[in-house]
Amino acid sequence: MNSPYETVFEQILPRVKRPGRYVGGEMGQIDKDPASVSCRFCLVFPDLYEVGLSNYGLQILYFLLNERTDTYCERAYAVAPDMEAQLRAHGVPLLSHETHTPLKDFDVVGFGLQSELTYINVLQVLDLGGIPILSAEREDADPLIIAGGHCAFNPEPLAQFVDAFGIGDGEDVIVDIRDTWTESRGLPRRERLERLARIEGAYVPALYSVVEENGWLIPQGPRIVKRNVADLNEAFFPTMQIIPWTQTVHDRISIEVMRGCTQGCRFCQAGMITRPIRERTPEKVLEIARELARNTGIEEMSLLSLSTADHKGAVPMARAVRDEVGRPMRVNVSLPSSRADAFNVELSSMVGDERKGGITLAPEAGSDRLRRVINKYLTEEDIINATRAAAKGGHKHVKLYFMAGLPTETDQDMREMAQLIDRCERAGQEVGGRRFGIHVGISGLVPKSHTPFQWSAQLVGPELMRRVRLVRDNTPRRIKVGWADSDERTVEGILSRGDRRAGDLLLRTYHKGARLDAWSEYLRLDLWEEAAAEMGLNIAAYLGERDINHRLPWWHIDAGVTHRFLRSEWLKAVNEKVVRDCREGCLACNACDITGVEMQFGDVKMAPLREPVIRAWKRQKEREKSLCP
Ligand code: SF4
């Protein structure tokens, strides 16, 4: 490495905690001669390294861009306060991991946005990287700042900091942005941005003015339709991943087996914005799993999606990966947290090895009534049977994950949650003995854009905590009930449904010293409140109910699902009406039509199902379930 910062960087490292976060040079890192490429790209995950490295979306884009000989893609992450202090004290900018190049010297810097709680770190990275924080202050020589990921579906809080957002699946849009930016080199920055705006799925906020409508700043301009990968089997997936020196949040390799979800949970943004469903074939998954295990030597592998057990070939796929990769290569294969029904649990138990610890089930709501509101069509009996299946499958404990503050929620729902927890423990112990245990996690609902709950009020503060306490006080003391920090949910709530004024608040709070909001030890809600008070911004309005007849700040982003569909789902929620899985019959959300992408089941593509084929589909599903041991 020939970075002029090398010597001073080496002096800094012993003075910070966990220096392994910053050194780079991991197995799997791509090394190229920067002088040999026409575009230098830096992908940034705006959180600490141990969180960012686990993000498989960024790993996909990293290897995808580096496949090209004309592009060198490097990485950077947010830094902890001790590192930030050292960098500032020594006049060292934030550097990329690969070549220790300052971020300001790249052509393109791209952020992956997975949580609104990382927005504050986007500003830190720009600031430390020597790049003007405000898009309007960047000059021709400054890098292009882009962002994508699920949070980009409401881009407005970051609109003044990001030059262009890629909306939807990133694989194609990132390459188009890279090419357009490189080909327009030499032109004035404004003209280059105008060219980017012509790319399908690219949103350039500087080209949109805003007007105030009913108290919200609403962007004016053409709607941006999200990009969707049409064929997941053809989509790029790396057969190598970066293996960290230090422990990360998820020390495992993730293989994406399916994109999209058809369950229709009304709180779930990922389930709405990634429609329609697209599956990789079991053969393709096995091929990737084999290569990854061989190339990385990893010991943990996850078959990842929003609901892996819904994959049409879930059983043969899981069995093949277990038998041909897991057992012979000593890799522990797992599924992510499961829907709380027995089939999901049996599938998880089948695929895992002998080291069975716990399994996470997500009933989400405490009562059957409230599960109808959120369209999680599981009964109490389903959840108890799932717990029993987990104990039978050898799991030593089950973690039940719930939300509080759901629309129409009452104290009775919270008491029923406590009863359900108790019944699950008894059922598990009937099979698994007295050592079988239940752990409980509760967090507050954060209503997200592009979901039926986008109009709902968000519960925060003392009332949220009172409801959580109600569950805890009605649950046997031996069962541990944990809950997520209410302050985190407040900040997430302000930003997730914010307009451009939320960006002003973000900037002001950043200058007050806020950092790493996703970490409870660093989060300072008082700084957010102080900044809001100075601006005269009413936080309660950002967390409050929205009028279903008004345009929302993200109206210009077309996620595929129509306003009409979301609105009808919101009304069904309030009336406790459940809708079916959309593979069993189209619900006319319109995602297939708007994106022009069909549902994909392995190597079969399918238009939305109409009535005559629905019954056959159901019969097939039952047959598949019976294949699971
Ligand atoms: S258009 Fe129909 S089939 Fe396609 S994702 Fe929406 S509800 Fe499902």
Side-chain angles (χ1 to χ4, degrees), residues 125-412:
V125 168
L126 292 172
D127 196 11
L128 286 177
I131 300 165
I133 291 179
L134 292 170
S135 176
E137 291 178 0
R138 286 180 206 132
E139 297 181 352
D140 289 353
D142 288 315
L144 172 72
I145 306 302
I146 63 170
H150 289 183
C151 294
F153 280 80
N154 176 19
E156 292 312 289
L158 288 178
Q160 52 189 305
F161 315 110
V162 171
D163 298 318
F165 291 88
I167 309 294
D169 295 341
E171 290 97 332
D172 297 332
V173 74
I174 201 168
V175 170
D176 289 349
I177 289 175
R178 177 250 172 256
D179 288 345
T180 305
W181 192 250
T182 309
E183 284 157 19
S184 63
R185 190 174 275 138
L187 295 175
R189 190 175 183 88
R190 176 81 181 186
E191 204 175 318
R192 295 175 87 186
L193 291 176
E194 283 168 2
R195 290 189 178 205
L196 291 183
R198 289 180 214 140
I199 297 171
E200 195 188 331
Y203 167 52
V204 179
L207 306 181
Y208 286 61
S209 59
V210 287
V211 295
E212 187 162 339
E213 277 181 25
N214 307 300
W216 298 104
L217 296 181
I218 306 294
Q220 305 295 303
R223 273 165 71 81
I224 308 293
V225 179
K226 71 166 177 176
R227 287 287 279 274
N228 258 8
V229 163
D231 188 336
L232 206 58
N233 290 311
E234 296 297 315
F236 174 82
F237 200 89
T239 50
M240 184 62 198
Q241 293 200 16
I242 297 166
I243 311 297
W245 299 120
T246 63
Q247 197 175 10
T248 58
V249 173
H250 298 299
D251 268 328
R252 60 174 175 246
I253 276 183
S254 298
I255 301 176
E256 187 191 29
V257 301
M258 185 170 81
R259 203 170 285 184
C261 183
T262 50
Q263 298 280 346
C265 299
R266 293 178 176 128
F267 57 85
C268 181
Q269 188 189 47
M272 295 289 159
I273 62 177
T274 57
R275 291 178 174 212
I277 195 168
R278 286 147 292 157
E279 296 175 350
R280 281 202 161 89
T281 60
E283 296 76 28
K284 187 77 188 171
V285 170
L286 181 61
E287 183 190 315
I288 295 170
R290 222 186 258 126
E291 289 269 316
L292 275 171
R294 198 178 293 135
N295 294 342
T296 61
I298 47 96
E299 295 173 347
E300 299 281 335
M301 178 180 283
S302 176
L303 303 182
L304 194 70
S305 76
L306 292 172
S307 185
T308 299
D310 285 338
H311 190 292
K312 190 162 166 285
V315 174
M317 174 177 72
R319 194 178 277 146
V321 175
R322 178 196 66 182
D323 293 347
E324 296 187 37
V325 178
R327 287 179 176 163
M329 299 170 97
R330 294 180 181 277
V331 177
N332 184 37
V333 183
S334 63
L335 307 185
S337 67
S338 297
R339 228 170 93 83
D341 66 35
F343 173 65
N344 280 265
V345 173
E346 283 163 9
L347 189 68
S348 288
S349 303
M350 184 192 88
V351 79
D353 69 0
E354 304 311 315
R355 292 170 279 165
K356 288 196 181 80
I359 185 169
T360 300
L361 304 178
E364 316 283 4
S367 67
D368 283 352
R369 184 197 74 79
L370 207 48
R371 279 188 293 278
R372 287 197 296 275
V373 170
I374 64 175
N375 202 43
K376 191 110 188 174
Y377 32 95
L378 288 169
T379 63
E380 186 165 312
E381 281 315 306
D382 291 330
I383 298 158
I384 291 167
N385 286 339
T387 310
R388 215 176 261 125
K392 196 172 158 203
H395 292 284
K396 293 182 182 62
H397 66 263
V398 161
K399 178 163 186 186
L400 295 175
Y401 172 76
F402 294 97
M403 283 187 288
L406 292 164
T408 78
E409 183 179 275
T410 64
D411 286 0
Q412 178 58 23

Side-chain angles (χ1 to χ4, degrees), residues 41-185:
F41 210 115
C42 188
L43 278 178
V44 183
F45 192 89
D47 205 332
L48 294 178
Y49 173 84
E50 52 266 40
V51 182
L53 197 86
S54 304
N55 184 268
Y56 82 96
L58 243 63
Q59 294 246 12
I60 293 176
L61 298 178
Y62 176 78
F63 287 99
L64 170 75
L65 288 164
N66 276 316
E67 283 267 294
R68 294 176 55 145
T69 52
D70 59 0
T71 306
Y72 187 16
C73 180
E74 304 186 35
R75 295 166 293 139
Y77 305 89
V79 298
D82 62 342
M83 184 57 157
E84 179 175 341
Q86 288 293 330
L87 292 175
R88 290 192 191 279
H90 290 85
V92 178
L94 185 65
L95 306 172
S96 66
H97 270 225
E98 280 75 2
T99 59
H100 289 184
T101 300
L103 263 61
K104 69 178 174 50
D105 292 340
F106 283 86
D107 295 302
V108 185
V109 174
F111 288 91
L113 304 174
Q114 296 303 321
S115 164
E116 291 84 359
L117 291 170
T118 65
Y119 285 5
I120 206 89
N121 311 331
V122 171
L123 306 200
Q124 182 212 45
V125 168
L126 292 172
D127 196 11
L128 286 177
I131 300 165
I133 291 179
L134 292 170
S135 176
E137 291 178 0
R138 286 180 206 132
E139 297 181 352
D140 289 353
D142 288 315
L144 172 72
I145 306 302
I146 63 170
H150 289 183
C151 294
F153 280 80
N154 176 19
E156 292 312 289
L158 288 178
Q160 52 189 305
F161 315 110
V162 171
D163 298 318
F165 291 88
I167 309 294
D169 295 341
E171 290 97 332
D172 297 332
V173 74
I174 201 168
V175 170
D176 289 349
I177 289 175
R178 177 250 172 256
D179 288 345
T180 305
W181 192 250
T182 309
E183 284 157 19
S184 63
R185 190 174 275 138

Side-chain angles (χ1 to χ4, degrees), residues 567-586:
R567 186 188 161 109
S568 84
E569 282 294 293
W570 172 231
L571 297 175
K572 281 178 191 147
V574 177
N575 291 303
E576 300 173 19
K577 289 214 169 78
V578 171
V579 299
R580 64 192 169 199
D581 182 316
C582 84
R583 292 170 306 174
E584 298 168 6
C586 177

Side-chain angles (χ1 to χ4, degrees), residues 275-276 582 586-592 599 608:
R275 291 178 174 212
C582 84
C586 177
L587 299 165
C589 83
N590 280 18
C592 294
M599 294 190 285

Side-chain angles (χ1 to χ4, degrees), residues 153-155 449-450 454 496-498 546 552-557:
F153 280 80
N154 176 19
S449 62
H450 304 280
Q454 65 182 351
S496 67
R497 292 188 296 164
R546 307 292 171 97
L552 297 165
W554 50 91
W555 80 276
H556 58 305
I557 303 298

